[in-house]
């Protein structure tokens, strides 16, 4: 009896000690199976959602300050230089220089993005239509340059 009880206590201590590793392995297997719904359900279940949020990030405190900090960060991420409509004009100028190949204007790409259905599953890249619809206007410029250069060269740049 004593030996069985001791081995049980040892096994229990080992499980507690390696609990985080076992949890991470379970989550990794869910992610490898491409079962994203179950993955996020397990993340939600296994993490303590009752933990309070951090009231301070860097020098910023409070919910409103933190939201403002992240909003400014993501707003400035692709807009580091304020150049007005210069980027769209430059994209159109680059595209109109290629006459022998099909070219995609920024307006055509933007119209195609706006016509996407939001009730569809993501493509093989994992990006939903909402990502493209709600992204910055700079994305349409970059995509028009990408598609046009792809058509002109025959391979992705």
């Amino acid at each position: 009896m004593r030996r069985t009880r001791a081995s049980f206590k040892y096994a229990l201590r080992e499980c507690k000690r390696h609990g985080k590793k076992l949890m991470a392995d379970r989550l990794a297997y869910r992610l490898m199976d491409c079962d994203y719904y179950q993955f996020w359900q397990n993340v939600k279940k296994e993490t303590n959602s009752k933990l309070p949020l951090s009231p301070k990030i860097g020098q910023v405190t409070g919910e409103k300050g933190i939201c403002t900090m992240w909003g400014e960060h993501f707003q400035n991420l692709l807009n580091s230089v304020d150049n007005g409509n210069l980027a769209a004009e430059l994209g159109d100028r680059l595209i109109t220089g290629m006459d022998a190949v099909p070219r995609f204007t920024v307006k055509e790409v933007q119209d195609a993005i706006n016509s996407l259905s939001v009730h569809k599953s993501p493509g093989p890249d994992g990006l939903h239509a909402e990502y493209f619809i709600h992204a910055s206007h700079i994305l349409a410029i970059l995509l028009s340059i990408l598609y046009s250069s792809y058509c002109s060269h025959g391979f992705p740049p």
Side-chain angles (χ1 to χ4, degrees):
M1 173 78 172
R2 185 173 215 178
R3 176 173 252 184
T4 325
R5 188 173 187 190
S7 63
F8 172 75
K9 284 186 174 183
Y10 177 75
L12 187 62
R13 277 195 304 270
E14 284 296 310
C15 286
K16 286 183 180 178
R17 196 173 311 148
H18 298 295
K20 291 207 182 277
K21 183 182 181 304
L22 293 172
M23 180 181 71
D25 286 343
R26 271 195 312 270
L27 292 174
Y29 287 127
R30 287 285 187 196
L31 193 58
M32 283 179 12
D33 292 339
C34 294
D35 190 1
Y36 302 116
Y37 178 78
Q38 275 302 109
F39 171 75
W40 287 111
Q41 289 296 322
N42 288 345
V43 167
K44 183 179 176 183
K45 181 174 64 173
E46 292 182 7
T47 57
N48 188 0
S49 61
K50 303 290 188 222
L51 292 174
L53 295 175
S54 174
K56 181 177 180 182
I57 295 179
Q59 301 298 323
V60 181
T61 58
E63 287 181 19
K64 191 169 186 118
I66 292 171
C67 288
T68 305
M69 177 192 73
W70 285 112
E72 290 172 357
H73 169 73
F74 286 112
Q75 184 179 19
N76 294 329
L77 194 61
L78 286 175
N79 299 326
S80 59
V81 177
D82 185 24
N83 54 13
N85 202 18
L86 183 63
E89 292 174 13
L90 177 62
D92 286 336
R93 268 191 245 143
L94 285 173
I95 292 169
T96 54
M98 299 179 271
D99 292 330
V101 295
R103 57 183 178 266
F104 299 91
T105 64
V106 176
K107 181 163 179 24
E108 290 173 338
V109 172
Q110 191 64 47
D111 291 341
I113 289 173
N114 290 336
S115 69
L116 290 174
S117 175
V118 295
H119 302 293
K120 299 280 186 172
S121 62
D125 55 2
L127 296 175
H128 291 272
E130 289 94 354
Y131 170 77
F132 294 103
I133 292 170
H134 299 295
S136 173
H137 68 281
I138 296 173
L139 181 67
I141 297 169
L142 296 174
L143 286 174
S144 68
I145 294 170
L146 177 74
Y147 295 148
S148 297
S149 62
Y150 179 75
C151 288
S152 68
H153 299 295
F155 58 90

